[in-house]
Amino acid sequence: MNLFIKELLSLYKSVGFYLLGFIFLVGSALFLFFFSGNFNIFELNQANLYPFFQIAPYFLIILLPAMTMKSFAEEQEKETLDWLKTMPVDMSKIVATKFLSIFSGLFTFIFLSLTFFFIVQHFSLNGIDSGLLFSSYLGLIFLGIFIISVGIFSSAISSNQILAYILAVLINAFFYFFISGLADYNLIGSLDYLTQSLSVKFHYERFTQGIFYLSSCSYFIGFSFLFIFLAHQKLNQK
């Protein structure tokens, strides 16, 4: 618990954390209410937050790795990883603590994004579908968990923070954009659906459409656990 509080305080005392939150919230607001285009809620004349859940993954894929990149890369860079191993705490608990502290930061961003809900609700005549809103936010949380897990894995295998950031962005972009795009081109026939089912975007969009599948929940939980497990194994080998 003390280690978790230490990590949490370190995160919330960081100027970078507030900068990332500012970019996420203000950037989203600009696309939703000010910039002309496919994400502008007023131009679409739709009283829902679907445009937000379309644009949010782009921000999270770029911003969350900036929070995870120093998780273990900094420890390796400063050669304090061996010191961490001497602590009377199992490495699995250290990894879990890093994960939970960053997830707390993500949850803060998501919680503050409810501001968009109140704005749209104010201009809506019939209100917003609460079921769809809940499902979409649940999908966004699952997506964030996946991105954080990949980021921690990237930080565990690299002693350079910049490299860890780039690697995390590339892996997340691969799972979100590349696999989905590959399936859309219908290049491998009957295996296209299998390919699509490996895409983060496919499972995330199910949630944003109000479709709740246990298979999508299992996908996010399973792959997130896999990357955390790989990070744990890599750190134990060092």
Side-chain angles (χ1 to χ4, degrees):
M1 181 60 74
N2 289 337
L3 186 60
F4 173 69
I5 293 173
K6 177 179 174 292
E7 290 289 336
L8 202 59
L9 289 176
S10 175
L11 178 68
Y12 283 103
K13 286 180 179 179
S14 169
V15 175
F17 170 73
Y18 295 98
L19 178 61
L20 293 174
F22 177 83
I23 294 172
F24 176 68
L25 294 169
V26 174
S28 297
L30 289 174
F31 278 99
L32 295 177
F33 306 115
F34 297 98
F35 294 161
S36 178
N38 295 330
F39 302 111
N40 190 295
I41 290 174
F42 297 130
E43 289 185 3
L44 293 173
N45 198 29
Q46 295 178 353
N48 60 59
L49 283 178
Y50 184 67
F52 168 67
F53 295 108
Q54 284 183 302
I55 195 68
Y58 293 86
F59 282 106
L60 294 185
I61 287 172
I62 294 171
L63 298 177
L64 283 181
M67 293 172 63
T68 62
M69 66 181 186
K70 64 182 293 184
S71 300
F72 292 102
E74 185 180 45
E75 305 288 357
Q76 297 176 75
E77 197 173 10
K78 293 181 178 179
E79 299 183 348
T80 56
L81 185 60
D82 290 334
W83 174 79
L84 270 180
K85 289 182 176 181
T86 63
M87 295 179 64
V89 182
D90 187 73
M91 180 57 73
S92 61
K93 292 183 179 179
I94 295 174
V95 174
T97 296
K98 298 274 189 183
F99 171 85
L100 289 174
S101 63
I102 297 170
F103 175 76
S104 298
L106 166 68
F107 190 81
T108 301
F109 294 168
I110 291 177
F111 179 77
L112 292 175
S113 73
L114 286 171
T115 305
F116 304 140
F117 161 73
F118 292 111
I119 293 173
V120 175
Q121 180 79 353
H122 176 74
F123 290 100
S124 171
L125 295 177
N126 301 315
I128 295 177
D129 185 335
S130 58
L132 179 59
L133 184 70
F134 174 79
S135 174
S136 298
Y137 266 112
L138 183 61
L140 192 61
I141 290 171
F142 272 129
L143 175 63
I145 289 172
F146 179 91
I147 294 171
I148 291 171
S149 301
V150 170
I152 289 177
F153 166 74
S154 301
S155 185
I157 65 174
S158 175
S159 59
N160 183 288
Q161 293 185 49
I162 302 301
L163 184 59
Y165 172 81
I166 294 172
L167 187 60
V169 171
L170 290 177
I171 294 175
N172 281 304
F174 174 83
F175 272 91
Y176 193 88
F177 298 108
F178 180 79
I179 296 179
S180 176
L182 187 64
D184 289 342
Y185 278 109
N186 298 317
L187 297 176
I188 45 181
S190 60
L191 293 178
D192 282 329
Y193 181 78
L194 177 61
T195 305
Q196 189 179 46
S197 67
L198 293 174
S199 165
V200 171
K201 186 178 182 181
F202 171 75
H203 294 282
Y204 171 70
E205 288 186 342
R206 280 179 161 183
F207 284 99
T208 63
Q209 295 164 2
I211 305 171
F212 187 87
Y213 281 97
L214 285 177
S215 59
S216 293
C217 295
S218 300
Y219 171 89
F220 281 113
I221 293 171
F223 270 97
S224 298
F225 178 81
L226 174 63
F227 279 109
I228 291 294
F229 173 77
L230 292 174
H232 175 265
Q233 293 297 103
K234 185 64 179 179
L235 290 166
N236 272 335
Q237 293 171 5
K238 293 189 176 183

